[in-house]
Amino acid sequence: MTPAEDSQSLLLRTLRDPQEAARRLLALDVPGEARWIAVLLVAVLAVVSLDIALWMVPEAEPSIFSVLANPWLGLPLQVISILILAVVMTGAGRPLGGRGAYADALTLVVWIEFVMVVAQAVQIAAMLVLPPLSLLVSITSLVLFVWLMVHFTAALHGLTNLGQVVLALIVGFVVVVVLAAVVLAVLGISPETAGV
């Protein structure tokens, strides 16, 4: 089986049985160097796909999406967001008795981001074929992201109570948002000063 066929098979498994897909990803035991290359690659793909989407549907005024589509700003922000998501995924399971490692969480988050890039490609195709359908694809992508975060976090830590995982992830995201707001306030950065 070729790498492309492996990826397609794993992508389908991710949609049908995300926890089994997560376990298969972890079983690959991806080397550290390859993991970081994957982080950069998926970040580049995310920036490119968003840039194409904005090119097809230009914004009336700059927004956070314009910033993320800018290679000089979007690429480091995408990388940082991947690293933070891995922190949240790792930390969310600890209070519940999980012992998942950050490196493994990073592998899972990279795959989730890749799935989101594929979803972005589907949305771009929908813009070309049937523009109103792109909104439905966008909403579905958001739901898929949350669904995968919950199941991948559970698989990472060997947890079975998805309700507890959801609550733990919510707390983790709230903590990250609060800390980010504090850091930005200390640095004197606001949406107005950032030009968003």
Side-chain angles (χ1 to χ4, degrees):
M1 186 176 288
T2 66
E5 290 173 334
D6 283 339
S7 297
Q8 183 179 10
S9 174
L10 188 56
L11 186 60
L12 293 175
R13 175 65 62 181
T14 300
L15 300 177
R16 295 173 181 170
D17 188 351
Q19 292 199 35
E20 175 60 24
R23 286 188 284 270
R24 291 190 181 186
L25 284 166
L26 296 177
L28 294 175
D29 194 20
V30 180
E33 184 178 346
R35 187 181 292 113
W36 289 107
I37 292 174
V39 169
L40 292 175
L41 179 59
V42 78
V44 169
L45 291 174
V47 171
V48 170
S49 63
L50 184 56
D51 191 36
I52 293 173
L54 290 180
W55 175 74
M56 294 178 61
V57 184
E59 294 184 314
E61 295 183 2
S63 70
I64 185 61
F65 297 108
S66 304
V67 174
L68 292 175
N70 183 320
W72 298 107
L73 294 174
L75 185 56
L77 286 175
Q78 289 285 357
V79 170
I80 290 172
S81 69
I82 290 172
L83 300 182
I84 290 176
L85 282 174
V87 169
V88 172
M89 182 179 285
T90 305
R94 295 298 166 79
L96 304 177
R99 292 292 181 269
Y102 178 79
D104 289 335
L106 191 58
T107 298
L108 297 180
V109 170
V110 166
W111 181 253
I112 291 175
E113 289 296 320
F114 175 72
V115 173
M116 291 300 100
V117 169
V118 173
Q120 180 75 63
V122 173
Q123 185 176 7
I124 291 173
M127 290 179 185
L128 293 172
V129 178
L130 189 61
L133 185 61
S134 64
L135 178 59
L136 178 60
V137 175
S138 179
I139 296 173
T140 303
S141 298
L142 179 59
V143 173
L144 178 61
F145 171 78
V146 174
W147 190 58
L148 292 180
M149 278 293 294
V150 171
H151 282 278
F152 275 32
T153 301
L156 173 68
H157 295 285
L159 304 173
T160 57
N161 190 324
L162 296 183
Q164 290 182 340
V165 174
V166 170
L167 291 176
L169 284 173
I170 291 174
V171 171
F173 280 118
V174 169
V175 170
V176 167
V177 170
V178 170
L179 289 177
V182 171
V183 171
L184 292 176
V186 170
L187 296 176
I189 300 175
S190 67
E192 290 77 15
T193 59
V196 177

